[in-house]
Amino acid sequence: MSFPDPTETFRQEARELLDQLESGLLDLEQNPANDDLINSTFRALHTIKGSGAMFGFTAVAAFVHEFETAFDQVRKGQSPATPALIAVALDAKDHIHELIQDPDASPSGGEAILVALRNVLGNTDVPNPVLTKPSERLREPDTASTASEALWRIRFRLPADSLVYGTNPVLLLEEIRALGPCTVVALTDTLPPLDIIDPEVPYIGWQVDIEHEDPRSAIDDVFLFLKEGMELSVEPLADATAPAAETEVEIAPAATTEVPAPAPLVPMHKPEPKAVAEKAAEKDPAVAASSSMRVDAERLDELMDRVGELVIAQARLTQIANMSSDANLKTIAEELERLSSGLRDTTMGIRMVPIGTLFSRFRRLVHDLSRDLGKDIEFITSGEDTELDKTMIERLADPLVHLIRNSVDHGLESAERRLAAGKPAKGTVRLSAVYAGAEVAISVTDDGAGLNAERIRAKAEEAGLLAPDAKIPDAELWQMIFAPGFSTAKEVTSLSGRGVGMDVVKRTIEGLRGSIDVTTSPGQGSTMTLRLPLTLAIIDGMLVRVGNGRYTIPLAAVEECVELPEGIEANARGRNFLDIRGSLVPFLRMREVFGTKAPLEPHQKVVIVSSGEGRVGLVVDQIIGNNQTVIKQLSKLHSSIKSFSGATILGDGTVALILDTAHLVAFGQSYVDQGRAA
């Protein structure tokens, strides 16, 4: 049996903590007086430091320790959380990420960050060097103290399982010594004979006499994850010369002596960082409520594949049962269908992830773009609870980065131009997600100048994408911006101007069986809307027949089914409309679309499907019924066929193509427009 690499587990959880740290810093910039944000940011730093030291990331622990010491001034109200401080803190977060990803590379810049931090805080409390050895920070501190400091005695004994979970007493003492001049004494009164000592039990207690104004809140932070099960007392001493108990042995080093760093822990004794989170959960109910178990994405993909095969086998069993007169067989088939349906829904639910996990990444992007471009930008998100397949969320990151960068760089005007146009100086970029039938619509909206139709047309004509006399609707003109190499920027910058990016966006979205809609209003702004299916794995489908072929329509896109009225001409181009409760809905005869040669059948049915705001009727010969559809991707040889989004295997082993409703809705509208023009 193989065990997960504990250092890789630490990296995964550290990434989550760094994301939490970044989010907290960005929130703090908007609300610098919020104590909850300051404390949560400090806790994230403290957890990264403790876990880093536990798993041998000494450079991470050293850097975060120095940074945490400086940030503690903000927590105590001694320094404000200014934008300059947040900017340095974000740089520090990036440096921590580099140290964690490649601890052997020794990324440069740590000293400069701490120097910048010292300059921002306006004092010299932040150390200049970035120490990499714990022993370098264990030297005897300066014994000078201010008149306001008093003598305090701290006594503690660690929980019995603390060493098993990777707690290092030397690092804890180091944090206490950083608070001020102190004397550290070991309490050996409970130390058993050598022959019965258990190396995993912390027999030694500690007494620290420290000069400090009031160390109690700082001590609470030192033992943040250890308070349960430990003995701890912090009391002021009236007599500064009070001696230690006779059983205590002083171990405070001389001013020129270094305490050697502890030997690294054996990997098999290293607990997973989740143990640290569990201890934090005991203190914070919100953490406990969000507890979860980490599972590799590959295992979820494998599970989904198995469920897909089960669904196909269940469909075959159901078909055989329907042809049999055996009541027991039919009962078993119905029970298996119910169980497989529930298993499918549960498995898909595991794969569904709130899109807010993706949206949170872009706050830093907009923050940095605002600083680099000198534009004051408000970034608003909504619909973070909308869920989407994890695979799709991972592939959406790059397209959304391109769209947001374009909105900020091209869409939003400078503050001077906005004021001259009667707009507020601060621009707005909105990122939203909503359910739209069988799809999720993700929109990037800005309140900038909007798309310039004349400039886009001129560039399209110059590139040979559009004939000079061609008349096309605005919706098609806006799609020109997704052509390879297309750019209307007057100059090339570090952000844009080379025409690379938007074509990649379109290819990626189409690869996810999605589409992009563009709307714009001159002087008011633009909206890019990505329409994506909820999942790429298993869907409920409606099986229909056209001629001798069978096709599947995603059931979530189906609004209703009606019978095609008699008397409608087979080739009524431009007049292919049905009156559906007062609304005219265009319809497509799928026999014509697929070139079916079979004789026309009476009593044809119309399946009304929708995509976004559009609707179209699909005329079919027969509606067979509903079934669970396992989506199989088409090969690259069939990628140019836009009417189909995939294929599925039916219960009898034959293949049915899955109709791409978004493409058919768009095709139906253009089909009607062409008929009108004929």
Side-chain angles (χ1 to χ4, degrees):
M1 180 178 179
S2 61
F3 293 92
D5 182 5
T7 58
E8 184 57 33
T9 303
F10 164 72
R11 286 192 176 96
Q12 292 176 359
E13 297 197 3
R15 283 193 288 269
E16 296 175 3
L17 287 168
L18 289 174
D19 290 342
Q20 175 187 338
L21 176 62
E22 181 177 276
S23 178
L25 289 171
L26 294 173
D27 288 337
L28 193 58
E29 185 175 31
Q30 304 298 323
N31 192 1
N34 191 311
D35 291 337
D36 291 337
L37 291 175
I38 295 174
N39 291 329
S40 65
T41 302
F42 188 84
R43 283 195 298 271
L45 285 170
H46 194 80
T47 305
I48 293 171
K49 179 183 71 173
S51 298
M54 181 190 307
F55 285 87
F57 289 79
T58 55
V60 173
F63 177 80
V64 176
H65 174 78
E66 309 297 359
F67 183 76
E68 178 190 42
T69 301
F71 201 83
D72 188 46
Q73 298 182 31
V74 178
R75 193 169 64 104
K76 294 177 178 178
Q78 298 173 358
S79 299
T82 61
L85 175 62
I86 299 300
V88 176
L90 289 171
D91 291 339
K93 174 259 176 185
D94 294 338
H95 183 70
I96 295 169
H97 176 75
E98 294 176 5
L99 290 174
I100 291 174
Q101 290 302 112
D102 193 356
D104 298 328
S106 300
S108 59
E111 293 186 21
I113 291 173
L114 291 180
V115 171
L117 183 62
R118 184 188 68 243
N119 294 335
V120 168
L121 294 175
N123 56 51
T124 58
D125 291 341
V126 183
N128 275 325
V130 180
L131 303 177
T132 58
K133 297 180 181 179
S135 58
E136 294 182 15
R137 300 194 308 274
L138 281 172
R139 297 182 179 179
E140 189 71 25
D142 187 3
T143 56
S145 60
T146 63
S148 62
E149 293 179 342
L151 189 63
W152 294 75
R153 173 161 293 174
I154 304 165
R155 296 171 66 97
F156 67 90
R157 291 185 184 275
L158 297 176
D161 60 352
S162 58
L163 297 184
V164 177
Y165 285 116
T167 300
N168 191 332
V170 175
L171 294 179
L172 297 174
L173 291 171
E174 171 193 334
E175 292 189 46
I176 297 175
R177 293 172 68 88
L179 301 177
C182 63
T183 300
V184 181
V185 176
L187 308 178
T188 59
D189 53 309
T190 60
L191 191 65
L194 185 61
D195 56 343
I196 63 171
I197 283 182
D198 184 347
E200 293 184 344
V201 176
Y203 298 105
I204 298 176
W206 302 92
Q207 175 179 295
V208 182
D209 291 345
I210 185 170
E211 296 180 28
H212 197 280
E213 181 180 357
D214 187 350
R216 284 174 291 195
S217 62
I219 294 300
D220 286 342
D221 293 331
V222 171
F223 299 106
L224 182 63
F225 303 121
L226 295 168
K227 283 191 173 182
E228 297 295 331
M230 75 173 294
E231 299 177 17
L232 174 64
S233 64
V234 183
E235 299 176 348
L237 285 180
D239 184 4
T241 61
E246 293 181 0
T247 56
E248 299 165 4
V249 179
E250 185 169 341
I251 63 168
T256 58
T257 304
E258 293 186 1
V259 176
L265 297 174
V266 181
M268 65 178 294
H269 290 306
K270 290 182 179 180
E272 294 191 12
K274 191 61 73 177
V276 177
E278 290 172 355
K279 287 182 175 291
E282 295 175 2
K283 293 176 60 61
D284 188 351
V287 176
S290 61
S291 61
S292 59
M293 181 174 64
R294 191 185 304 278
V295 179
D296 291 338
E298 292 80 5
R299 293 190 178 185
L300 290 180
D301 293 339
E302 183 178 355
L303 176 61
M304 181 57 73
D305 289 341
R306 296 289 185 271
V307 172
E309 297 300 325
L310 176 62
V311 168
I312 294 174
Q314 172 266 314
R316 182 165 177 77
L317 177 61
T318 299
Q319 184 171 358
I320 294 174
N322 290 336
M323 295 185 296
S324 172
S325 59
D326 190 335
N328 291 329
L329 179 60
K330 292 184 177 181
T331 301
I332 293 174
E334 291 175 357
E335 181 68 10
L336 182 60
E337 182 177 1
R338 182 183 65 81
L339 293 174
S340 63
S341 178
L343 180 60
R344 180 206 64 172
D345 294 341
T346 301
T347 306
M348 289 181 59
I350 295 174
R351 291 173 57 95
M352 302 299 279
V353 178
I355 204 168
T357 59
L358 176 65
F359 283 8
S360 60
R361 304 181 192 178
F362 304 120
R363 297 182 61 200
R364 176 72 181 279
L365 172 67
V366 175
H367 175 276
D368 292 346
L369 289 175
S370 174
R371 178 188 59 192
D372 296 341
L373 297 174
K375 296 179 179 180
D376 194 6
I377 304 171
E378 181 180 11
F379 183 57
I380 301 174
T381 60
S382 61
E384 291 91 337
D385 294 335
T386 305
E387 292 187 336
L388 201 59
D389 191 286
K390 182 180 184 298
T391 303
M392 300 187 69
I393 285 184
E394 292 172 349
R395 295 173 63 180
L396 277 176
D398 287 344
L400 286 176
V401 166
H402 284 297
L403 293 179
I404 292 174
R405 286 166 67 101
N406 272 17
S407 292
V408 172
D409 190 21
H410 293 302
L412 297 181
E413 316 95 326
S414 63
E416 295 77 10
R417 293 182 59 186
R418 291 180 64 86
L419 291 173
K423 298 181 180 180
K426 176 183 285 189
T428 301
V429 175
R430 299 177 184 272
L431 181 59
S432 62
V434 295
Y435 291 112
E439 304 169 326
V440 169
I442 304 172
S443 299
V444 178
T445 304
D446 64 73
D447 64 345
L451 297 179
N452 189 316
E454 295 181 0
R455 186 181 299 175
I456 293 175
R457 173 177 281 276
K459 185 67 178 181
E461 293 176 355
E462 178 184 341
L465 301 173
L466 188 64
D469 299 332
K471 295 182 179 180
I472 61 174
D474 288 343
E476 293 185 26
L477 181 63
W478 307 142
Q479 292 294 323
M480 294 291 177
I481 65 177
F482 298 106
F486 191 94
S487 176
T488 59
K490 296 181 179 180
E491 59 182 11
V492 176
T493 67
S494 60
L495 293 178
S496 59
R498 300 186 186 275
V500 179
M502 296 300 280
D503 61 320
V504 177
V505 171
K506 186 172 185 179
R507 286 202 305 270
T508 302
I509 299 305
E510 289 180 346
L512 294 172
R513 297 190 288 110
S515 61
I516 306 179
D517 297 336
V518 181
T519 59
T520 187
S521 177
Q524 302 300 317
S526 303
T527 298
M528 306 283 181
T529 302
L530 312 181
R531 300 191 182 277
L532 298 157
L534 288 173
T535 180
L536 298 175
I538 303 175
I539 61 173
D540 285 321
M542 174 180 286
L543 189 64
V544 300
R545 182 177 60 81
V546 178
N548 297 323
R550 288 182 291 180
Y551 305 89
T552 295
I553 303 174
L555 191 60
V558 176
E559 292 190 353
E560 59 183 307
C561 300
V562 298
E563 189 164 335
L564 183 67
E566 296 182 1
I568 296 183
E569 298 180 20
N571 295 310
R573 297 181 61 86
R575 298 186 298 277
N576 291 358
F577 287 94
L578 290 177
D579 185 352
I580 306 296
R581 285 182 296 280
S583 298
L584 291 180
V585 177
F587 66 88
L588 297 172
R589 295 181 183 271
M590 303 310 294
R591 299 175 64 89
E592 297 177 5
V593 175
F594 297 149
T596 301
K597 302 300 183 181
L600 183 65
E601 298 184 16
H603 311 298
Q604 292 187 306
K605 307 298 186 293
V606 183
V607 182
I608 308 297
V609 298
S610 63
S611 175
E613 301 297 327
R615 293 197 300 170
V616 70
L618 307 179
V619 181
V620 300
D621 292 333
Q622 180 187 4
I623 298 175
I624 299 175
N626 300 339
N627 63 349
Q628 295 183 45
T629 302
V630 180
I631 300 175
K632 302 292 185 181
Q633 297 298 319
L634 297 177
S635 69
K636 294 182 179 180
L637 295 176
H638 303 90
S639 60
S640 60
I641 304 176
K642 302 300 183 182
S643 298
F644 308 112
S645 59
T648 187
I649 301 175
L650 301 178
D652 59 1
T654 60
V655 174
L657 294 172
I658 302 172
L659 300 183
D660 188 334
T661 53
H663 174 77
L664 289 174
V665 168
F667 177 74
Q669 185 59 53
S670 62
Y671 183 79
V672 172
D673 292 341
Q674 293 173 6
R676 287 173 173 171

